[in-house]
């Protein structure tokens, strides 16, 4: 299983290695929460609740995709073109979810929450 949102597998897939490196460098859920603490504290309880629910759903989807990625990595031949495409697709989806998660928990505007151009209740830094 995937540990800490970064799969510890050693594989030859360039797509997965790129995901692994970028995840190690950029996906820091606790850091995003800490950086956004001031913004989150300034928004309504309703908004915080929506963000918490969306963050949890995003995290759940990330874990499912990482489990799926691990299965794909363990199946088939190492040079299989379809396998490489699946790995690349899953890697991009996971990376996108990591970015979404960081945005949600840091209190930054997020379109699914109705924050298309920012909101009045978010402190601008």
């Amino acid at each position: 299983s995937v540990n800490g949102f970064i799969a510890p597998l050693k594989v030859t897939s360039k797509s997965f290695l790129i995901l692994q490196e970028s995840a190690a460098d950029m996906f820091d859920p606790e850091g995003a929460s800490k950086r956004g603490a001031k913004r989150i504290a300034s928004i309504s309880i309703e908004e915080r609740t929506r963000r918490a629910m969306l963050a949890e759903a995003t995290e759940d989807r990330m874990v499912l995709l990482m489990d799926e990625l691990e299965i794909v990595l363990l199946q088939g031949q190492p040079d299989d073109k379809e396998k490489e495409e699946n790995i690349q697709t899953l890697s991009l989806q996971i990376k996108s979810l990591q970015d979404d998660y960081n945005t949600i928990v840091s209190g930054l505007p997020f379109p699914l929450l109705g924050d298309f151009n920012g909101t009045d209740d978010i402190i601008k830094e």
Side-chain angles (χ1 to χ4, degrees):
S1 112
V2 176
N3 183 10
F5 298 106
I6 302 170
L9 301 173
K10 300 293 182 200
V11 295
T12 58
S13 168
K14 290 178 186 175
S15 298
F16 181 71
L17 292 175
I18 289 168
L19 171 70
Q20 190 175 30
E21 289 170 7
S22 67
D25 292 337
M26 298 170 63
F27 186 59
D28 177 16
E30 288 182 28
S33 294
K34 288 178 184 175
R35 287 188 297 276
K38 186 175 181 182
R39 281 188 294 270
I40 293 293
S42 71
I43 61 178
S44 69
I45 291 183
E46 293 83 8
E47 174 77 8
R48 280 185 259 173
T49 302
R50 285 193 299 270
R51 284 180 178 274
M53 291 170 53
L54 187 55
E56 184 176 350
T58 302
E59 187 176 356
D60 290 346
R61 181 70 178 141
M62 237 186 308
V63 170
L64 289 173
L65 288 175
M66 288 181 176
D67 288 345
E68 187 176 336
L69 178 61
E70 185 173 12
I71 291 167
V72 169
L73 289 168
L74 296 173
Q75 293 176 343
Q77 300 299 319
D79 296 330
D80 183 357
K81 184 175 178 144
E82 183 178 341
K83 179 179 177 176
E84 179 62 31
E85 288 173 4
N86 286 340
I87 291 169
Q88 185 174 13
T89 299
L90 289 167
S91 297
L92 291 172
Q93 289 175 348
I94 292 166
K95 178 65 179 119
S96 177
L97 288 169
Q98 288 173 338
D99 292 343
D100 289 350
Y101 184 90
N102 283 336
T103 300
I104 295 163
V105 301
S106 67
L108 294 171
F110 191 71
L112 284 176
L113 294 168
D115 296 334
F116 296 101
N117 295 314
T119 60
D120 293 337
D121 58 354
I122 293 179
I123 295 175
K124 300 200 185 318
E125 293 184 357

